[in-house]
Amino acid sequence: MQTTLEFQPLRLPEHVQQLRCEVRAFIQSEIDVGTFDPDRPEEDWGVHKRFAKKVAQRGWIGMTWPRQYGGQERSFLDRFVVNEEMIASNAPNSVYFTADRQSGPTLIKYASERIKSEILPKIIAGEACFCIGMSEPDSGSDLFAAKCKATRTDGGWKVNGSKIWTTNAHRAAYMIGLFRTSAPTEKNRRHGLTSFLVDMKAPGITCNLIDQMSGVRDFNEVVFDDVFIPDDQLIGEVDGAWKQATTELAYERSGPERFLETFAVLRKLVEMAGNKPDPRMTEAIGGLVAELHSLRRMSVSVAGMLEAGREPVSEAAIVKDLGTLWEQELPQRVRQATAFLPVGTESYGAFERVLQFNTRIAPKLTIQGGTTEILRGVIARGLGLR
């Protein structure tokens, strides 16, 4: 029985640190020319599309992918620092981020050559936005319980049912959807799930936006009403998609986005504290930064495992679980730390706006990438405890 998990210290090579400097300079130039505001979420989809083109021109989408599809075969650590800097600065990366993180790698590993040749270059060019069709209204993050059904028909499949919490489905060109194609067996609850590449413009697909108290509108309920998916859109094997879904989730759950989504409030706190904070503020900031550093080291370690061709499912789940708890608690802990700062100033007003927004987005973070309960089940299974 496995009783340990592997988080190995990993020092980033010098060339990766140089890449970080390049990315920071690029981001700062985009902020200076007013492309985006790092303290405010960007709702204008046109901004995200233009930004994706600029990132693509620098070769920062699909960095790890094979050259034959337009990739550069660079390391996962290269990709890690690019995305870490983008997320920490709240860059408008929504067009390409999901495709770069998990949809593209899933296609590379499991899709047909036709799909790879057609779709991957579009992602690398910053032109193809993807969404993830996993969670469902009656099953949430328990993918074993998926009921959205794909039924055999002439030349393909008809899909009926719904997916939920589907980020950017109303804007996406494609979805990688996990559908029920046959019933699970008594011995294998994982049997009967199949992945397909879904054209989000196909007739019969309806995206119902889900409002959030933050004002951001990116979550959707996606309803499928007799949606036809051709046979050649199959990804992997019929009834055998659980393995590839597990691989996909390892990519989804371990990156810097799993602990940096509310990072803006910590950055603002450091700015407000100034160069000579009092001892109480120093202690508060020091504790938060130490915790952040530990989460980051764990995430970098998972990137190293992916680089080595491994599938760190349990380790990725731990990063997501601990990271989500930390970033959800961060706005309140930062608010407590500001008790001794002067209020009523212009800078405090700007800080308060950032704090209020991040307080409102914090509750939804447990939904993204799997709920805490499901993640802890994954971890327990990885440790041989269930």
Side-chain angles (χ1 to χ4, degrees):
M1 181 177 69
Q2 181 183 353
T3 57
T4 60
L5 296 170
E6 298 182 50
F7 288 104
Q8 300 296 328
L10 189 63
R11 181 178 296 276
L12 297 179
E14 182 62 31
H15 79 274
V16 177
Q17 301 291 10
Q18 293 173 356
L19 174 62
R20 184 187 300 281
C21 294
E22 293 175 26
V23 179
R24 283 184 178 177
F26 165 74
I27 291 171
Q28 188 58 56
S29 69
E30 294 299 307
I31 294 173
D32 288 344
V33 299
T35 299
F36 70 96
D37 181 349
D39 294 329
R40 197 169 108 182
E42 185 54 71
E43 283 293 290
D44 184 348
W45 193 241
V47 170
H48 286 264
K49 292 169 73 173
R50 290 189 292 273
F51 189 81
K53 284 291 187 180
K54 292 182 179 182
V55 175
Q57 289 168 3
R58 285 157 178 79
W60 293 338
I61 304 176
M63 297 174 70
T64 65
W65 302 357
R67 288 191 175 89
Q68 69 185 98
Y69 305 118
Q72 300 180 50
E73 299 182 7
R74 296 179 70 166
S75 74
F76 278 89
L77 298 178
D78 288 341
R79 183 190 174 277
F80 184 94
V81 298
V82 170
N83 285 285
E84 182 178 42
E85 293 299 326
M86 294 290 184
I87 294 160
S89 64
N90 203 22
N93 61 2
S94 295
V95 168
Y96 66 87
F97 185 76
T98 296
D100 177 62
R101 178 185 65 190
Q102 68 193 91
S103 304
T106 298
L107 295 180
I108 289 169
K109 191 166 185 177
Y110 296 102
S112 67
E113 195 60 38
R114 181 196 66 78
I115 290 176
K116 288 188 280 192
S117 298
E118 177 184 334
I119 304 299
L120 294 176
K122 293 180 182 179
I123 297 173
I124 289 172
E127 298 172 352
C129 178
F130 270 68
C131 62
I132 304 165
M134 289 190 177
S135 295
E136 296 184 11
D138 294 329
S139 60
S141 298
D142 182 7
L143 301 185
F144 289 143
K147 296 178 181 178
C148 188
K149 193 171 184 179
T151 306
R152 275 283 190 189
T153 189
D154 291 341
W157 304 76
K158 283 286 182 70
V159 178
N160 287 278
S162 59
K163 297 291 181 179
I164 203 165
W165 314 125
T166 313
T167 303
N168 287 325
H170 61 304
R171 296 161 168 165
Y174 302 99
M175 168 194 285
I176 293 183
L178 186 71
F179 303 118
R180 175 67 62 187
T181 46
S182 63
T185 66
E186 185 175 338
K187 292 184 178 180
N188 184 7
R189 191 176 174 225
R190 304 179 181 186
H191 174 80
L193 296 171
T194 304
S195 281
F196 295 91
L197 177 67
V198 180
D199 181 351
M200 292 300 290
K201 302 296 189 295
I205 296 178
T206 302
C207 294
N208 300 317
L209 280 164
I210 300 173
D211 288 327
Q212 299 175 45
M213 60 183 175
S214 65
V216 174
R217 301 192 72 185
D218 56 358
F219 278 171
N220 292 263
E221 177 193 40
V222 182
V223 180
F224 299 86
D225 184 8
D226 274 347
V227 176
F228 177 71
I229 301 179
D231 272 325
D232 64 0
Q233 298 297 92
L234 172 69
I235 301 174
E237 300 178 0
V238 174
D239 292 339
W242 179 251
K243 177 64 175 176
Q244 63 206 60
T246 301
T247 302
E248 188 175 347
L249 289 170
Y251 289 110
E252 181 181 358
R253 289 171 170 167
S254 61
E257 69 275 16
R258 295 311 175 201
F259 53 88
L260 287 178
E261 191 141 354
T262 58
F263 173 75
V265 296
L266 179 55
R267 185 180 64 232
K268 278 294 184 183
L269 178 65
V270 173
E271 291 176 6
M272 289 285 292
N275 294 327
K276 295 181 179 180
D278 70 28
R280 292 166 297 188
M281 181 65 74
T282 300
E283 181 180 358
I285 292 175
L288 291 170
V289 171
E291 293 167 14
L292 175 62
H293 180 72
S294 298
L295 288 167
R296 181 180 177 276
R297 289 296 295 268
M298 293 170 70
S299 183
V300 171
S301 178
V302 173
M305 296 179 203
L306 292 170
E307 176 71 15
R310 298 170 58 187
E311 294 182 1
V313 176
S314 298
E315 289 85 354
I318 290 176
V319 172
K320 168 64 173 69
D321 183 17
L322 296 178
T324 295
L325 293 176
W326 188 81
E327 62 184 355
Q328 283 185 314
E329 294 171 358
L330 183 60
Q332 182 59 29
R333 294 175 66 185
V334 166
R335 182 177 293 280
Q336 292 170 350
T338 62
F340 304 101
L341 290 176
V343 299
T345 64
E346 182 177 346
S347 60
Y348 190 88
F351 166 76
E352 185 67 21
R353 286 190 293 273
V354 173
L355 186 57
Q356 287 181 7
F357 173 76
N358 283 276
T359 299
R360 292 190 181 108
I361 68 169
K364 63 110 176 180
L365 299 178
T366 187
I367 296 171
Q368 301 172 175
T371 61
T372 297
E373 294 79 6
I374 293 296
L375 290 169
R376 291 179 181 177
V378 170
I379 295 164
R381 189 179 299 112
L383 289 169
L385 301 177
R386 56 176 293 190

